[in-house]
Amino acid sequence: MFEYEYPRAALAVDCVVFGLDETDLKVLLIQRKLAPFQHAWALPGGFVRLDEELDAAARRELEEEAGVSDVYLEQLYTVGTLGRDPRERVVTVAYYALAKLSDHRIRAATDAMGVGWFSLDDLPKLAFDHREIVEHAVLRLRGKVRYAPIGFELLPPRFSLTQLQKLYEMVLGTGLDKRNFRKKMLAMDLLVETDEVEQGVRHRAARLYRFDRRKYDRLTKQGFEFAM
Amino acid sequence: MFEYEYPRAALAVDCVVFGLDETDLKVLLIQRKLAPFQHAWALPGGFVRLDEELDAAARRELEEEAGVSDVYLEQLYTVGTLGRDPRERVVTVAYYALAKLSDHRIRAATDAMGVGWFSLDDLPKLAFDHREIVEHAVLRLRGKVRYAPIGFELLPPRFSLTQLQKLYEMVLGTGLDKRNFRKKMLAMDLLVETDEVEQGVRHRAARLYRFDRRKYDRLTKQGFEFAM
DNA sequence: CCAAAAGTGTTCGCGGTACACCCATGC
DNA sequence: GCATGGGTGTACCGCGAACACTTTTGG
Protein backbone atom coordinates (compact mmCIF):
# COMPACT_ATOMS: atom_id res chain seq x y z
CA MET A 1 0.00 0.00 0.00
CA PHE A 2 1.06 3.57 -0.64
CA GLU A 3 0.28 6.43 1.67
CA TYR A 4 0.03 10.15 1.01
CA GLU A 5 -0.81 13.13 3.15
CA TYR A 6 -3.44 14.37 0.69
CA PRO A 7 -5.78 12.37 -1.50
CA ARG A 8 -4.59 11.88 -5.07
CA ALA A 9 -6.32 11.43 -8.37
CA ALA A 10 -5.49 8.42 -10.49
CA LEU A 11 -3.66 9.30 -13.68
CA ALA A 12 -4.46 7.56 -16.93
CA VAL A 13 -3.83 7.85 -20.65
CA ASP A 14 -6.29 7.19 -23.48
CA CYS A 15 -5.59 6.95 -27.19
CA VAL A 16 -7.69 7.80 -30.20
CA VAL A 17 -6.09 5.72 -32.95
CA PHE A 18 -7.06 6.66 -36.48
CA GLY A 19 -6.68 4.31 -39.40
CA LEU A 20 -7.53 4.68 -43.05
CA ASP A 21 -9.57 1.93 -44.55
CA GLU A 22 -10.11 1.63 -48.31
CA THR A 23 -13.26 3.63 -47.90
CA ASP A 24 -13.29 5.30 -44.52
CA LEU A 25 -11.51 6.97 -41.67
CA LYS A 26 -11.78 4.66 -38.69
CA VAL A 27 -11.09 4.65 -34.99
CA LEU A 28 -9.72 1.77 -32.98
CA LEU A 29 -11.83 0.71 -30.02
CA ILE A 30 -11.59 -2.08 -27.50
CA GLN A 31 -14.30 -3.81 -25.62
CA ARG A 32 -13.98 -3.42 -21.86
CA LYS A 33 -13.64 -6.65 -19.92
CA LEU A 34 -14.18 -5.12 -16.50
CA ALA A 35 -16.59 -2.78 -14.77
CA PRO A 36 -17.40 0.04 -14.97
CA PHE A 37 -18.88 0.03 -18.46
CA GLN A 38 -18.22 -3.71 -18.71
CA HIS A 39 -18.55 -4.93 -22.32
CA ALA A 40 -18.88 -1.36 -23.61
CA TRP A 41 -16.56 -0.10 -26.31
CA ALA A 42 -13.87 2.29 -25.15
CA LEU A 43 -10.63 3.92 -26.16
CA PRO A 44 -7.52 1.88 -25.47
CA GLY A 45 -5.80 3.28 -22.41
CA GLY A 46 -5.00 2.72 -18.80
CA PHE A 47 -3.19 3.94 -15.76
CA VAL A 48 0.22 5.52 -15.91
CA ARG A 49 2.93 3.83 -13.92
CA LEU A 50 4.94 5.89 -11.55
CA ASP A 51 8.21 5.33 -13.36
CA GLU A 52 6.89 5.75 -16.86
CA GLU A 53 6.72 8.72 -19.21
CA LEU A 54 3.24 9.73 -20.33
CA ASP A 55 3.70 8.90 -23.98
CA ALA A 56 5.41 5.64 -23.05
CA ALA A 57 2.32 4.73 -21.07
CA ALA A 58 0.18 5.49 -24.10
CA ARG A 59 2.32 3.27 -26.32
CA ARG A 60 2.38 0.49 -23.76
CA GLU A 61 -1.38 0.46 -23.42
CA LEU A 62 -1.79 0.45 -27.18
CA GLU A 63 0.49 -2.54 -27.42
CA GLU A 64 -1.06 -4.41 -24.50
CA GLU A 65 -4.68 -3.79 -25.29
CA ALA A 66 -4.70 -3.75 -29.06
CA GLY A 67 -1.35 -5.10 -30.20
CA VAL A 68 -0.64 -1.85 -31.98
CA SER A 69 2.83 -0.39 -32.15
CA ASP A 70 4.80 1.96 -34.40
CA VAL A 71 2.26 4.69 -34.71
CA TYR A 72 2.53 8.43 -34.93
CA LEU A 73 1.53 9.67 -31.47
CA GLU A 74 0.75 13.13 -30.21
CA GLN A 75 -0.72 14.51 -27.03
CA LEU A 76 -4.22 15.86 -27.38
CA TYR A 77 -5.36 17.35 -24.08
CA THR A 78 -6.06 16.40 -20.52
CA VAL A 79 -9.50 15.79 -19.06
CA GLY A 80 -10.19 15.64 -15.38
CA THR A 81 -13.87 16.48 -15.11
CA LEU A 82 -15.26 15.51 -11.73
CA GLY A 83 -17.34 12.39 -11.93
CA ARG A 84 -16.14 11.31 -15.37
CA ASP A 85 -15.18 7.98 -13.81
CA PRO A 86 -17.82 6.63 -11.44
CA ARG A 87 -15.25 4.94 -9.22
CA GLU A 88 -13.04 7.81 -8.23
CA ARG A 89 -11.24 10.87 -9.55
CA VAL A 90 -9.39 9.91 -12.69
CA VAL A 91 -7.50 12.44 -14.76
CA THR A 92 -6.63 11.22 -18.20
CA VAL A 93 -4.12 12.52 -20.69
CA ALA A 94 -5.64 11.91 -24.10
CA TYR A 95 -3.47 11.15 -27.12
CA TYR A 96 -4.25 10.65 -30.75
CA ALA A 97 -2.38 8.28 -32.98
CA LEU A 98 -2.19 7.64 -36.71
CA ALA A 99 -1.75 4.04 -37.77
CA LYS A 100 -0.99 2.66 -41.20
CA LEU A 101 -3.78 0.19 -41.72
CA SER A 102 -1.81 -0.96 -44.74
CA ASP A 103 0.67 -2.40 -42.26
CA HIS A 104 -0.27 -6.06 -42.06
CA ARG A 105 1.06 -6.37 -38.54
CA ILE A 106 -1.52 -3.86 -37.44
CA ARG A 107 -4.30 -5.52 -39.37
CA ALA A 108 -3.36 -8.85 -37.80
CA ALA A 109 -2.92 -7.56 -34.29
CA THR A 110 -6.29 -5.88 -34.23
CA ASP A 111 -8.04 -8.85 -35.78
CA ALA A 112 -9.31 -10.19 -32.48
CA MET A 113 -12.43 -10.36 -30.41
CA GLY A 114 -12.76 -7.23 -28.43
CA VAL A 115 -10.77 -5.02 -30.78
CA GLY A 116 -12.36 -3.23 -33.68
CA TRP A 117 -12.16 -0.41 -36.19
CA PHE A 118 -15.24 1.80 -36.37
CA SER A 119 -16.24 4.43 -38.86
CA LEU A 120 -16.56 7.86 -37.33
CA ASP A 121 -20.19 8.17 -38.29
CA ASP A 122 -21.02 4.76 -37.00
CA LEU A 123 -19.51 4.70 -33.52
CA PRO A 124 -21.11 2.55 -30.85
CA LYS A 125 -21.93 3.99 -27.44
CA LEU A 126 -18.63 4.62 -25.72
CA ALA A 127 -17.60 4.26 -22.11
CA PHE A 128 -16.87 7.28 -19.91
CA ASP A 129 -16.53 10.53 -21.84
CA HIS A 130 -14.67 8.80 -24.64
CA ARG A 131 -17.08 10.04 -27.23
CA GLU A 132 -16.09 13.62 -26.48
CA ILE A 133 -12.43 12.71 -26.63
CA VAL A 134 -12.93 11.22 -30.08
CA GLU A 135 -14.73 14.36 -31.27
CA HIS A 136 -11.91 16.45 -29.96
CA ALA A 137 -9.37 14.25 -31.72
CA VAL A 138 -11.21 14.54 -35.02
CA LEU A 139 -11.16 18.31 -34.78
CA ARG A 140 -7.47 18.30 -34.00
CA LEU A 141 -6.70 15.98 -36.87
CA ARG A 142 -8.75 18.11 -39.21
CA GLY A 143 -6.93 21.22 -38.13
CA LYS A 144 -3.50 19.69 -38.19
CA VAL A 145 -3.60 17.78 -41.44
CA ARG A 146 -3.74 21.08 -43.32
CA TYR A 147 -0.67 22.58 -41.73
CA ALA A 148 1.55 19.61 -41.13
CA PRO A 149 2.42 16.63 -43.29
CA ILE A 150 0.87 14.05 -40.99
CA GLY A 151 -1.57 12.63 -43.50
CA PHE A 152 1.24 10.42 -44.75
CA GLU A 153 1.20 8.60 -41.40
CA LEU A 154 -2.10 7.07 -42.43
CA LEU A 155 -0.95 5.86 -45.84
CA PRO A 156 1.40 3.10 -46.93
CA PRO A 157 4.99 4.19 -47.63
CA ARG A 158 4.14 4.33 -51.34
CA PHE A 159 0.82 5.80 -52.34
CA SER A 160 -0.95 7.32 -55.31
CA LEU A 161 -2.04 10.92 -55.47
CA THR A 162 -5.62 9.75 -55.59
CA GLN A 163 -5.19 7.91 -52.30
CA LEU A 164 -3.71 11.03 -50.79
CA GLN A 165 -6.54 13.17 -52.07
CA LYS A 166 -9.16 10.73 -50.77
CA LEU A 167 -7.47 10.96 -47.37
CA TYR A 168 -7.77 14.73 -47.33
CA GLU A 169 -11.35 14.54 -48.47
CA MET A 170 -12.24 12.10 -45.70
CA VAL A 171 -10.47 13.98 -42.96
CA LEU A 172 -11.72 17.40 -44.02
CA GLY A 173 -15.14 16.14 -45.01
CA THR A 174 -15.16 17.99 -48.33
CA GLY A 175 -14.58 17.23 -51.97
CA LEU A 176 -11.44 18.58 -53.60
CA ASP A 177 -10.63 19.38 -57.20
CA LYS A 178 -8.28 16.78 -58.62
CA ARG A 179 -6.19 19.09 -60.76
CA ASN A 180 -5.84 21.75 -58.11
CA PHE A 181 -4.99 19.21 -55.44
CA ARG A 182 -2.23 17.62 -57.49
CA LYS A 183 -0.84 20.95 -58.59
CA LYS A 184 -0.63 22.27 -55.03
CA MET A 185 0.71 19.07 -53.53
CA LEU A 186 3.36 18.56 -56.17
CA ALA A 187 4.32 22.23 -56.08
CA MET A 188 5.47 21.84 -52.48
CA ASP A 189 8.04 19.44 -53.86
CA LEU A 190 7.83 17.01 -50.96
CA LEU A 191 6.74 13.96 -52.91
CA VAL A 192 9.13 11.78 -54.82
CA GLU A 193 7.87 9.91 -57.84
CA THR A 194 8.80 6.24 -57.59
CA ASP A 195 8.97 3.88 -60.55
CA GLU A 196 6.21 1.75 -59.11
CA VAL A 197 2.56 1.79 -60.03
CA GLU A 198 -0.60 0.57 -58.41
CA GLN A 199 -1.09 -3.19 -58.61
CA GLY A 200 -4.13 -5.31 -59.28
CA VAL A 201 -6.49 -2.63 -60.46
CA ARG A 202 -8.55 -3.21 -63.56
CA HIS A 203 -7.99 0.22 -65.00
CA ARG A 204 -4.98 2.34 -65.72
CA ALA A 205 -2.58 1.97 -62.78
CA ALA A 206 -1.63 5.10 -60.87
CA ARG A 207 1.94 6.12 -60.29
CA LEU A 208 3.11 5.74 -56.68
CA TYR A 209 4.89 8.47 -54.71
CA ARG A 210 6.62 8.59 -51.38
CA PHE A 211 6.88 11.44 -48.91
CA ASP A 212 10.40 12.82 -48.57
CA ARG A 213 10.80 13.58 -44.88
CA ARG A 214 14.41 14.67 -45.27
CA LYS A 215 13.47 17.30 -47.76
CA TYR A 216 10.61 18.43 -45.59
CA ASP A 217 12.89 18.88 -42.59
CA ARG A 218 15.37 20.79 -44.71
CA LEU A 219 12.75 23.11 -46.14
CA THR A 220 11.18 23.62 -42.73
CA LYS A 221 14.49 24.88 -41.36
CA GLN A 222 14.48 27.42 -44.15
CA GLY A 223 11.10 28.74 -43.10
CA PHE A 224 8.92 26.69 -45.42
CA GLU A 225 5.45 25.98 -44.10
CA PHE A 226 3.37 23.07 -45.24
CA ALA A 227 -0.18 24.01 -46.17
CA MET A 228 -3.01 22.34 -48.02
CA MET B 1 -3.44 9.75 5.45
CA PHE B 2 -4.65 8.31 2.18
CA GLU B 3 -3.82 4.84 0.98
CA TYR B 4 -3.74 3.38 -2.49
CA GLU B 5 -2.88 -0.01 -3.90
CA TYR B 6 -0.47 1.48 -6.44
CA PRO B 7 1.80 4.49 -6.11
CA ARG B 8 0.37 7.70 -7.55
CA ALA B 9 1.90 10.77 -9.08
CA ALA B 10 1.05 14.16 -7.66
CA LEU B 11 -1.05 16.28 -10.02
CA ALA B 12 -0.38 19.98 -10.41
CA VAL B 13 -1.28 22.91 -12.64
CA ASP B 14 1.00 25.72 -13.79
CA CYS B 15 0.06 28.92 -15.57
CA VAL B 16 1.91 31.06 -18.06
CA VAL B 17 0.20 34.43 -17.72
CA PHE B 18 0.90 36.90 -20.50
CA GLY B 19 0.40 40.62 -20.09
CA LEU B 20 0.94 43.49 -22.45
CA ASP B 21 2.99 46.33 -21.12
CA GLU B 22 3.26 49.67 -22.94
CA THR B 23 6.36 48.33 -24.62
CA ASP B 24 6.58 44.61 -24.16
CA LEU B 25 4.94 41.24 -23.88
CA LYS B 26 5.50 40.04 -20.35
CA VAL B 27 5.09 36.91 -18.28
CA LEU B 28 3.95 36.78 -14.68
CA LEU B 29 6.30 34.96 -12.32
CA ILE B 30 6.33 34.36 -8.62
CA GLN B 31 9.24 33.84 -6.32
CA ARG B 32 9.16 30.49 -4.57
CA LYS B 33 9.06 30.61 -0.78
CA LEU B 34 9.76 26.93 -0.23
CA ALA B 35 12.22 24.29 -1.39
CA PRO B 36 12.90 22.96 -3.90
CA PHE B 37 14.15 25.93 -5.92
CA GLN B 38 13.59 28.17 -2.90
CA HIS B 39 13.74 31.87 -3.88
CA ALA B 40 13.87 30.98 -7.56
CA TRP B 41 11.29 32.48 -9.94
CA ALA B 42 8.62 30.10 -11.12
CA LEU B 43 5.26 29.93 -12.82
CA PRO B 44 2.28 30.34 -10.54
CA GLY B 45 0.73 26.95 -9.92
CA GLY B 46 0.19 24.22 -7.41
CA PHE B 47 -1.45 20.94 -6.65
CA VAL B 48 -4.91 20.07 -7.83
CA ARG B 49 -7.41 19.24 -5.13
CA LEU B 50 -9.34 16.05 -5.43
CA ASP B 51 -12.69 17.74 -5.71
CA GLU B 52 -11.64 20.49 -8.05
CA GLU B 53 -11.74 20.83 -11.84
CA LEU B 54 -8.40 21.34 -13.53
CA ASP B 55 -9.07 24.83 -14.79
CA ALA B 56 -10.59 25.78 -11.46
CA ALA B 57 -7.33 24.74 -9.84
CA ALA B 58 -5.43 26.93 -12.26
CA ARG B 59 -7.64 29.92 -11.47
CA ARG B 60 -7.44 29.30 -7.75
CA GLU B 61 -3.65 29.18 -7.80
CA LEU B 62 -3.51 32.35 -9.87
CA GLU B 63 -5.69 34.09 -7.36
CA GLU B 64 -3.88 32.75 -4.31
CA GLU B 65 -0.34 33.20 -5.49
CA ALA B 66 -0.58 36.33 -7.57
CA GLY B 67 -3.96 37.89 -6.83
CA VAL B 68 -4.88 37.55 -10.48
CA SER B 69 -8.42 36.77 -11.57
CA ASP B 70 -10.62 37.28 -14.61
CA VAL B 71 -8.21 36.13 -17.25
CA TYR B 72 -8.64 34.26 -20.47
CA LEU B 73 -7.44 30.74 -19.68
CA GLU B 74 -6.70 27.82 -21.95
CA GLN B 75 -5.08 24.46 -21.47
CA LEU B 76 -1.66 24.14 -23.02
CA TYR B 77 -0.33 20.63 -22.53
CA THR B 78 0.62 18.18 -19.84
CA VAL B 79 4.17 17.43 -18.77
CA GLY B 80 5.12 14.46 -16.69
CA THR B 81 8.78 13.91 -17.50
CA LEU B 82 10.44 11.67 -14.95
CA GLY B 83 12.63 13.63 -12.59
CA ARG B 84 11.23 17.05 -13.47
CA ASP B 85 10.49 17.54 -9.78
CA PRO B 86 13.34 16.42 -7.54
CA ARG B 87 10.98 15.38 -4.75
CA GLU B 88 8.76 12.89 -6.46
CA ARG B 89 6.75 12.25 -9.60
CA VAL B 90 4.73 15.33 -10.37
CA VAL B 91 2.60 15.59 -13.50
CA THR B 92 1.55 19.12 -14.28
CA VAL B 93 -1.17 20.38 -16.56
CA ALA B 94 0.14 23.62 -18.02
CA TYR B 95 -2.21 26.47 -18.88
CA TYR B 96 -1.68 29.81 -20.49
CA ALA B 97 -3.60 32.91 -19.61
CA LEU B 98 -4.03 36.36 -21.09
CA ALA B 99 -4.41 39.22 -18.63
CA LYS B 100 -5.39 42.80 -19.32
CA LEU B 101 -2.53 44.70 -17.73
CA SER B 102 -4.66 47.77 -18.27
CA ASP B 103 -6.92 46.40 -15.55
CA HIS B 104 -5.84 48.26 -12.46
CA ARG B 105 -6.92 45.46 -10.18
CA ILE B 106 -4.34 43.25 -11.86
CA ARG B 107 -1.64 45.90 -11.73
CA ALA B 108 -2.35 46.40 -8.03
CA ALA B 109 -2.63 42.74 -7.15
CA THR B 110 0.70 41.88 -8.72
CA ASP B 111 2.45 44.87 -7.22
CA ALA B 112 4.01 42.90 -4.39
CA MET B 113 7.25 41.39 -3.31
CA GLY B 114 7.61 38.03 -4.87
CA VAL B 115 5.39 38.69 -7.87
CA GLY B 116 6.73 40.18 -11.05
CA TRP B 117 6.24 40.73 -14.77
CA PHE B 118 9.22 39.78 -16.92
CA SER B 119 9.95 40.46 -20.55
CA LEU B 120 10.24 37.33 -22.60
CA ASP B 121 13.78 38.08 -23.65
CA ASP B 122 14.83 38.90 -20.14
CA LEU B 123 13.57 35.98 -18.10
CA PRO B 124 15.42 34.98 -14.95
CA LYS B 125 16.42 31.37 -14.34
CA LEU B 126 13.23 29.48 -13.72
CA ALA B 127 12.47 26.61 -11.36
CA PHE B 128 11.80 23.09 -12.64
CA ASP B 129 11.19 22.91 -16.39
CA HIS B 130 9.20 26.12 -16.35
CA ARG B 131 11.39 27.69 -18.97
CA GLU B 132 10.32 25.06 -21.48
CA ILE B 133 6.70 25.56 -20.55
CA VAL B 134 7.02 29.27 -21.22
CA GLU B 135 8.61 28.62 -24.62
CA HIS B 136 5.81 26.26 -25.45
CA ALA B 137 3.24 28.85 -24.40
CA VAL B 138 4.82 31.52 -26.57
CA LEU B 139 4.66 29.25 -29.58
CA ARG B 140 1.03 28.45 -28.89
CA LEU B 141 0.15 32.10 -28.45
CA ARG B 142 1.95 32.96 -31.67
CA GLY B 143 0.10 30.27 -33.54
CA LYS B 144 -3.27 31.06 -32.06
CA VAL B 145 -3.32 34.83 -32.24
CA ARG B 146 -3.43 34.58 -36.03
CA TYR B 147 -6.45 32.31 -36.21
CA ALA B 148 -8.49 33.37 -33.22
CA PRO B 149 -9.42 36.76 -31.86
CA ILE B 150 -7.61 36.31 -28.56
CA GLY B 151 -5.30 39.30 -28.92
CA PHE B 152 -8.11 41.43 -27.56
CA GLU B 153 -7.78 39.63 -24.23
CA LEU B 154 -4.50 41.46 -23.72
CA LEU B 155 -5.83 44.93 -24.49
CA PRO B 156 -8.16 47.23 -22.62
CA PRO B 157 -11.81 47.06 -23.65
CA ARG B 158 -11.26 50.14 -25.86
CA PHE B 159 -8.07 50.30 -27.85
CA SER B 160 -6.56 52.01 -30.85
CA LEU B 161 -5.63 50.24 -34.05
CA THR B 162 -2.02 51.12 -33.38
CA GLN B 163 -2.15 49.35 -30.02
CA LEU B 164 -3.64 46.33 -31.71
CA GLN B 165 -1.00 46.34 -34.40
CA LYS B 166 1.81 46.68 -31.84
CA LEU B 167 0.36 43.66 -30.05
CA TYR B 168 0.52 41.57 -33.19
CA GLU B 169 4.01 42.77 -33.90
CA MET B 170 5.19 41.82 -30.43
CA VAL B 171 3.56 38.44 -30.38
CA LEU B 172 4.58 37.51 -33.89
CA GLY B 173 7.96 39.15 -33.64
CA THR B 174 7.68 40.88 -37.01
CA GLY B 175 6.87 44.32 -38.32
CA LEU B 176 3.57 44.83 -40.11
CA ASP B 177 2.47 47.40 -42.65
CA LYS B 178 0.14 49.92 -41.09
CA ARG B 179 -2.21 50.36 -44.03
CA ASN B 180 -2.48 46.68 -44.79
CA PHE B 181 -3.01 45.80 -41.16
CA ARG B 182 -5.85 48.27 -40.75
CA LYS B 183 -7.44 47.30 -44.02
CA LYS B 184 -7.45 43.61 -43.18
CA MET B 185 -8.55 44.04 -39.60
CA LEU B 186 -11.37 46.43 -40.42
CA ALA B 187 -12.45 44.31 -43.37
CA MET B 188 -13.31 41.47 -40.99
CA ASP B 189 -15.87 43.83 -39.56
CA LEU B 190 -15.37 42.74 -35.96
CA LEU B 191 -14.31 46.08 -34.55
CA VAL B 192 -16.74 48.76 -33.59
CA GLU B 193 -15.65 52.36 -33.76
CA THR B 194 -16.42 54.13 -30.48
CA ASP B 195 -16.72 57.86 -30.11
CA GLU B 196 -13.78 57.94 -27.75
CA VAL B 197 -10.21 58.86 -28.55
CA GLU B 198 -6.89 58.27 -26.86
CA GLN B 199 -6.27 60.51 -23.85
CA GLY B 200 -3.19 62.35 -22.67
CA VAL B 201 -1.02 61.97 -25.72
CA ARG B 202 0.86 64.95 -27.09
CA HIS B 203 0.01 64.27 -30.68
CA ARG B 204 -3.18 63.62 -32.58
CA ALA B 205 -5.31 61.26 -30.51
CA ALA B 206 -6.20 57.93 -32.04
CA ARG B 207 -9.75 56.71 -32.33
CA LEU B 208 -10.66 53.86 -30.00
CA TYR B 209 -12.39 50.67 -31.06
CA ARG B 210 -13.88 47.75 -29.25
CA PHE B 211 -14.08 44.11 -30.26
CA ASP B 212 -17.62 42.92 -30.99
CA ARG B 213 -17.76 39.43 -29.59
CA ARG B 214 -21.44 38.98 -30.45
CA LYS B 215 -20.79 39.69 -34.06
CA TYR B 216 -17.80 37.37 -34.02
CA ASP B 217 -19.88 34.52 -32.60
CA ARG B 218 -22.58 35.14 -35.16
CA LEU B 219 -20.17 35.18 -38.07
CA THR B 220 -18.37 32.11 -36.76
CA LYS B 221 -21.61 30.15 -36.83
CA GLN B 222 -21.92 31.10 -40.49
CA GLY B 223 -18.51 29.62 -41.27
CA PHE B 224 -16.44 32.78 -40.96
CA GLU B 225 -12.84 32.21 -39.89
CA PHE B 226 -10.74 34.84 -38.24
CA ALA B 227 -7.30 35.23 -39.77
CA MET B 228 -4.56 37.81 -39.60
C1' DC C 1 -14.48 -2.04 -77.33
C1' DC C 2 -15.93 -0.72 -73.02
C1' DA C 3 -15.53 0.68 -68.26
C1' DA C 4 -12.85 2.97 -65.02
C1' DA C 5 -9.83 5.95 -63.33
C1' DA C 6 -5.24 8.49 -64.52
C1' DG C 7 -3.43 12.42 -65.98
C1' DT C 8 -3.10 17.17 -67.67
C1' DG C 9 -3.60 23.56 -68.61
C1' DT C 10 -5.79 27.74 -68.78
C1' DT C 11 -8.52 31.52 -67.32
C1' DC C 12 -10.24 34.61 -63.88
C1' DG C 13 -10.73 37.15 -59.74
C1' DC C 14 -9.53 38.15 -55.12
C1' DG C 15 -6.57 39.01 -51.63
C1' DG C 16 -1.95 39.96 -50.02
C1' DT C 17 1.82 43.10 -50.44
C1' DA C 18 4.45 47.04 -51.43
C1' DC C 19 4.65 51.71 -51.04
C1' DA C 20 4.43 57.72 -49.39
C1' DC C 21 2.14 61.62 -48.15
C1' DC C 22 -1.00 64.84 -45.74
C1' DC C 23 -3.42 65.78 -41.32
C1' DA C 24 -4.51 66.71 -36.53
C1' DT C 25 -2.95 67.78 -32.09
C1' DG C 26 -0.15 69.31 -28.01
C1' DC C 27 3.44 71.80 -26.56
C1' DG D 1 5.82 76.04 -36.03
C1' DC D 2 7.43 71.78 -35.04
C1' DA D 3 7.47 67.16 -33.54
C1' DT D 4 4.81 63.11 -33.25
C1' DG D 5 2.08 59.75 -34.59
C1' DG D 6 -2.87 59.24 -37.04
C1' DG D 7 -4.93 58.25 -40.97
C1' DT D 8 -5.58 57.15 -45.91
C1' DG D 9 -5.43 54.69 -51.62
C1' DT D 10 -3.55 52.40 -55.54
C1' DA D 11 -1.06 49.25 -58.51
C1' DC D 12 0.74 44.73 -59.13
C1' DC D 13 1.30 39.97 -58.64
C1' DG D 14 0.60 35.33 -57.22
C1' DC D 15 -2.39 31.88 -55.63
C1' DG D 16 -6.61 29.59 -55.24
C1' DA D 17 -10.79 28.23 -57.73
C1' DA D 18 -13.39 26.78 -61.54
C1' DC D 19 -13.61 23.90 -65.23
C1' DA D 20 -13.42 19.09 -69.44
C1' DC D 21 -11.20 16.18 -72.22
C1' DT D 22 -7.75 12.61 -73.69
C1' DT D 23 -5.07 8.53 -72.36
C1' DT D 24 -4.09 4.15 -70.46
C1' DT D 25 -5.17 -0.33 -68.97
C1' DG D 26 -7.62 -4.70 -67.82
C1' DG D 27 -11.24 -7.55 -68.74
Side-chain angles (χ1 to χ4, degrees), chain B residues 101-127:
Chain B
L101 265 188
S102 58
D103 184 336
H104 296 298
R105 289 172 306 172
I106 288 197
R107 284 218 123 112
T110 58
D111 185 15
M113 269 300 297
V115 181
W117 292 94
F118 292 82
S119 285
L120 279 172
D121 39 36
D122 198 27
L123 289 182
K125 277 237 180 308
L126 296 189

Side-chain angles (χ1 to χ4, degrees), chain A residues 2 4 8 52 75 78 88, chain B residues 2 4 8 75 78 88:
Chain A
F2 298 86
Y4 304 100
R8 294 192 170 187
E52 173 179 63
Q75 200 187 102
T78 299
E88 61 162 334
Chain B
F2 298 86
Y4 303 100
R8 293 192 171 187
Q75 199 187 102
T78 299
E88 61 162 334

Side-chain angles (χ1 to χ4, degrees), chain A residues 62-105:
Chain A
L62 272 185
E63 174 74 45
E64 287 179 11
E65 296 196 328
V68 168
S69 54
D70 279 322
V71 292
Y72 172 88
L73 189 75
E74 194 175 320
Q75 200 187 102
L76 192 54
Y77 74 122
T78 299
V79 221
T81 319
L82 294 170
R84 61 179 291 279
D85 188 309
R87 295 166 293 185
E88 61 162 334
R89 182 82 190 273
V90 178
V91 172
T92 194
V93 183
Y95 281 81
Y96 76 98
L98 306 181
K100 295 188 201 294
L101 265 188
S102 59
D103 185 336
H104 296 299
R105 290 173 306 173

Side-chain angles (χ1 to χ4, degrees), chain A residues 1-11 48-54 75-82 88-89 91 93 95 140 146-147 225, chain B residues 1-11 48-54 75-82 88-89 91 93 95 140 146-147 225:
Chain A
M1 293 303 237
F2 298 86
E3 284 195 357
Y4 304 100
E5 196 176 344
Y6 296 98
R8 294 192 170 187
L11 185 69
V48 178
R49 296 181 183 160
L50 202 68
D51 59 352
E52 173 179 63
E53 300 289 352
L54 295 174
Q75 200 187 102
L76 192 54
Y77 74 122
T78 299
V79 221
T81 319
L82 294 170
E88 61 162 334
R89 182 82 190 273
V91 172
V93 183
Y95 281 81
R140 173 75 67 91
R146 295 186 49 201
Y147 300 109
E225 294 185 19
Chain B
M1 293 302 239
F2 298 86
E3 284 195 355
Y4 303 100
E5 194 176 346
Y6 296 100
R8 293 192 171 187
L11 185 69
V48 178
R49 295 181 184 160
L50 203 68
D51 59 352
E52 175 178 60
E53 300 289 351
L54 295 173
Q75 199 187 102
L76 191 54
Y77 74 122
T78 299
V79 221
T81 319
L82 294 170
E88 61 162 334
R89 182 83 190 273
V91 172
V93 183
Y95 281 81
R140 173 75 68 92
R146 296 186 50 202
Y147 300 109
E225 295 186 18

